[in-house]
């Protein structure tokens, strides 16, 4: 199932190129959710509600996806995690930029996972508001995990059970000397979308072809098979420090080919099973 949030906080199921309105399910789930829960009530309720939501979608009239305003697929993520330097070719390109031997580069095991601010998350109907256009702003193409249920110290064997679904993401980055989580947490620097594809539709998350274009020109092209820490390992590693909550986003790392983004650029981040996140960069108002 492909689940989206759209227009004025509506919930939809995407079938083909149509969005079917299942907002009444969202209303009911939210009404019975505890205010003090961590994470997102709709994502947490999906296992119980899945069949009802699919039945509702079949009854609801569709609206072309091109005519809706797509929002981030999760309304209330409790956090946004991200993996640094998780593709070998990206580690090599960053080492080459610095002019330092690749062996001296601190890998993910030593660097750990970092957090991006929740306020940096946007959906594809928004524009990426480049706040410091005079500095180097770069695109990082990433597959994003959406956590499905609460867990801590999750084993590799159980990791996939904790995933609700996946979407495409851009870990937008201002290059510079400040702390990584600061430079990557600017408002709008975590676009996600176009919708969430539930985990049951992804046969092997460690074999997803991914490609990013800027103004139609391919800049990044890889496959999650090239991840240094694969999807299961990322969940095991992150949950050895954090409790994961339903609706948490997890950016899995970027392959090589990161490059500059200027106001006006159109960026496409796509994987055939996950769809195409297509978004424009602009300036902060
Ligand atoms: Mn990244």
């Amino acid at each position: 199932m492909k689940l989206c949030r759209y227009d004025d906080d509506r919930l939809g199921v995407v079938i083909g190129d149509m969005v079917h309105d299942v907002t009444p399910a969202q209303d009911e789930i939210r009404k019975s959710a505890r205010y003090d829960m961590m994470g997102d009530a709709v994502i947490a309720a999906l296992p119980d509600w899945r069949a009802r939501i699919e039945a509702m979608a079949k009854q609801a009239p569709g609206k072309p996806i091109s005519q809706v305003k797509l929002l981030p697929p999760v309304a209330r993520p409790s956090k946004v995690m991200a993996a640094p330097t998780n593709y070998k070719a990206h580690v090599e390109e960053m080492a080459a930029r610095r002019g330092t031997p690749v062996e001296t580069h601190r890998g993910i095991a030593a660097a750990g996972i970092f957090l991006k601010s929740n306020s940096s998350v946007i959906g594809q109907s928004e524009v990426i508001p480049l706040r410091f256009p005079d500095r180097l702003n770069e695109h990082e193409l990433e597959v994003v995990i959406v956590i499905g249920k609460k867990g801590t110290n999750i084993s590799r064997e159980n990791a996939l059970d904790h995933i609700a679904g996946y979407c495409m993401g851009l870990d937008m980055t201002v290059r510079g000397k400040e702390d990584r989580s600061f430079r990557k947490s600017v408002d709008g620097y975590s676009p996600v979308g176009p919708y969430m594809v539930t985990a049951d539709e992804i046969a092997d998350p460690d074999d997803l072809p991914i490609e990013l274009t800027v103004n139609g020109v391919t800049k990044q092209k890889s496959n999650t098979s090239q991840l240094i820490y694969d999807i299961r390992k990322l969940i095991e590693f992150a949950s050895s420090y954090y409790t994961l909550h339903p609706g948490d986003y997890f950016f899995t790392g970027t392959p090589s080919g990161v490059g500059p983004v200027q106001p006006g650029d159109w960026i496409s981040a796509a994987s055939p099973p996950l769809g195409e996140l297509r978004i424009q960069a602009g300036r902060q108002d």
Side-chain angles (χ1 to χ4, degrees):
M1 182 171 64
K2 297 176 174 68
L3 209 58
C4 71
R5 288 179 57 250
Y6 70 102
D7 291 349
D8 183 17
D9 187 29
R10 307 199 73 77
L11 184 70
V13 173
V14 180
I15 303 171
D17 53 8
M18 303 293 271
V19 177
H20 299 264
D21 190 348
V22 294
T23 306
Q26 174 174 266
D27 292 342
E28 208 167 316
I29 292 166
R30 288 182 180 176
K31 215 162 42 184
S32 58
R34 287 182 57 133
Y35 183 81
D36 64 352
M37 78 170 289
M38 289 288 279
D40 185 85
V42 172
I43 300 296
L46 272 187
D48 288 344
W49 275 81
R50 171 79 184 255
R52 270 177 286 177
I53 287 173
E54 279 176 322
M56 283 173 76
K58 285 202 185 94
Q59 304 295 322
K63 190 174 170 183
I65 194 165
S66 58
Q67 289 175 24
V68 307
K69 189 180 149 210
L70 286 167
L71 307 173
V74 180
R76 281 194 187 175
S78 85
K79 64 180 160 299
V80 179
M81 297 167 279
T85 52
N86 200 20
Y87 285 82
K88 187 166 164 276
H90 176 57
V91 176
E92 287 165 356
E93 77 178 344
M94 296 314 273
R97 263 191 204 186
R98 292 190 183 97
T100 51
V102 71
E103 303 77 42
T104 63
H105 193 90
R106 208 157 63 119
I108 184 170
I113 302 298
F114 67 95
L115 298 173
K116 286 166 73 80
S117 68
N118 288 4
S119 48
S120 67
V121 177
I122 57 171
Q124 80 163 15
S125 63
E126 291 183 66
V127 166
I128 303 168
L130 300 178
R131 191 176 284 233
F132 307 104
D134 298 341
R135 293 182 60 176
L136 176 58
N137 291 270
E138 290 195 300
H139 54 75
E140 293 194 353
L141 162 70
E142 312 207 0
V143 166
V144 177
I145 301 165
V146 178
I147 299 298
K149 65 174 181 183
K150 185 178 173 180
T152 191
N153 288 320
I154 300 163
S155 69
R156 178 178 177 79
E157 292 66 38
N158 294 329
L160 296 188
D161 297 342
H162 287 261
I163 298 177
Y166 304 88
C167 60
M168 296 308 300
L170 291 172
D171 175 19
M172 293 296 301
T173 303
V174 183
R175 297 291 171 203
K177 298 243 179 272
E178 302 95 332
D179 188 81
R180 179 187 262 137
S181 69
F182 190 53
R183 294 182 285 104
K184 289 169 172 275
S185 286
V186 181
D187 288 354
Y189 275 42
S190 304
V192 286
Y195 36 68
M196 180 184 86
V197 179
T198 53
D200 58 285
E201 290 197 9
I202 304 302
D204 182 1
D206 293 317
D207 185 20
L208 289 169
I210 50 174
E211 181 168 0
L212 178 139
T213 65
V214 178
N215 303 324
V217 179
T218 298
K219 301 289 185 183
Q220 297 188 270
K221 192 172 184 177
S222 188
N223 187 297
T224 54
S225 63
Q226 301 303 304
L227 285 167
I228 295 170
Y229 275 19
D230 64 14
I231 301 288
R232 291 169 178 84
K233 175 82 177 170
L234 285 171
I235 293 205
E236 182 180 61
F237 186 45
S239 73
S240 71
Y241 280 73
Y242 308 134
T243 295
L244 310 190
H245 294 283
D248 285 358
Y249 290 113
F250 199 159
F251 284 69
T252 55
T254 194
S256 61
V258 301
V261 174
Q262 307 288 348
D265 285 347
W266 277 98
I267 305 172
S268 158
S271 175
L274 301 182
E276 180 191 16
L277 167 64
R278 193 175 139 72
I279 191 163
Q280 192 178 28
R283 289 173 190 275
Q284 188 204 16
D285 292 333

